Amino acid sequence: PELADVPWEFLYDQRRNRFLAQSRRTPLVRYLDLPDPPRPLSVEGPLRLLVMISSPAGYPPLDAEREWSLLTEALAEPREQGRVVIERQAANMGMLRRRLRREEFHVFHFVGHGRYRTDWDDGVLVMEDDNRGPREVPGDELGGLLSEYDQTRLAVLNAGAGTLAGV
């Protein structure tokens, strides 16, 4: 129990010289004991995905085009059949709020940097502000926003630990 609050992403095996979460043989999933049961994942019509790719100034660049290509190639057949709609936009909380008010998305997929802020005692995703600068978004802010929209069924957070350039 004393390890429950430790970010599993940082578990390191010194004997093997690697992080445990990076191994196919030791996938780690943190189970959250939530007071509400999970909602059904069924959707009507095509499955709609919103992909937000964050690449703020001052952070190491991501191969965003490769990530986008992998995702669109994996979903090519269901897209051609009209069963999946996928849209891409920059990772900006204001834009996300506006899109969620106007449109239904069943899956939110984030690609970008993330880290654990010990001073906040929370994990953050590094999104972009209106000038493409970094804006750290705590988990409760993003989770609170996504939970307000009944159509959201899944959030995929593809976030690696990033460092500020020059630090």
Side-chain angles (χ1 to χ4, degrees), residues 5-122:
D5 291 332
V6 175
W8 58 264
E9 297 89 343
F10 298 123
L11 293 176
Y12 186 77
D13 184 344
Q14 290 181 335
R15 294 176 298 143
R16 294 188 176 113
N17 194 28
R18 68 174 180 206
F19 289 92
L20 294 176
Q22 293 178 335
S23 171
R24 289 180 296 127
R25 294 192 176 107
T26 56
L28 299 174
V29 177
R30 185 182 299 251
Y31 173 77
L32 300 176
D33 189 16
L34 300 173
D36 299 322
R39 296 179 298 183
L41 296 179
S42 62
V43 297
E44 291 189 28
L47 181 69
R48 295 181 44 83
L49 288 84
L50 177 62
V51 179
M52 295 187 88
I53 298 178
S54 181
S55 190
Y59 278 76
L62 300 171
D63 193 351
E65 293 311 314
R66 180 176 180 273
E67 291 285 333
W68 177 249
S69 292
L70 288 171
L71 192 56
T72 55
E73 287 171 20
L75 297 171
E77 186 176 326
R79 287 177 67 205
E80 289 170 8
Q81 297 169 351
R83 294 184 298 139
V84 172
V85 174
I86 182 171
E87 296 186 34
R88 171 182 173 172
Q89 78 171 52
N92 176 291
M93 285 297 285
M95 291 174 144
L96 178 59
R97 281 186 188 90
R98 287 188 292 278
R99 293 291 302 268
L100 291 175
R101 277 190 225 119
R102 293 190 324 255
E103 303 170 65
E104 284 191 1
F105 291 99
H106 306 109
V107 178
F108 170 78
H109 186 119
F110 173 84
V111 177
H113 296 285
R115 69 188 190 108
Y116 185 77
R117 295 266 319 243
T118 55
D119 55 334
W120 291 0
D121 196 26
D122 201 357

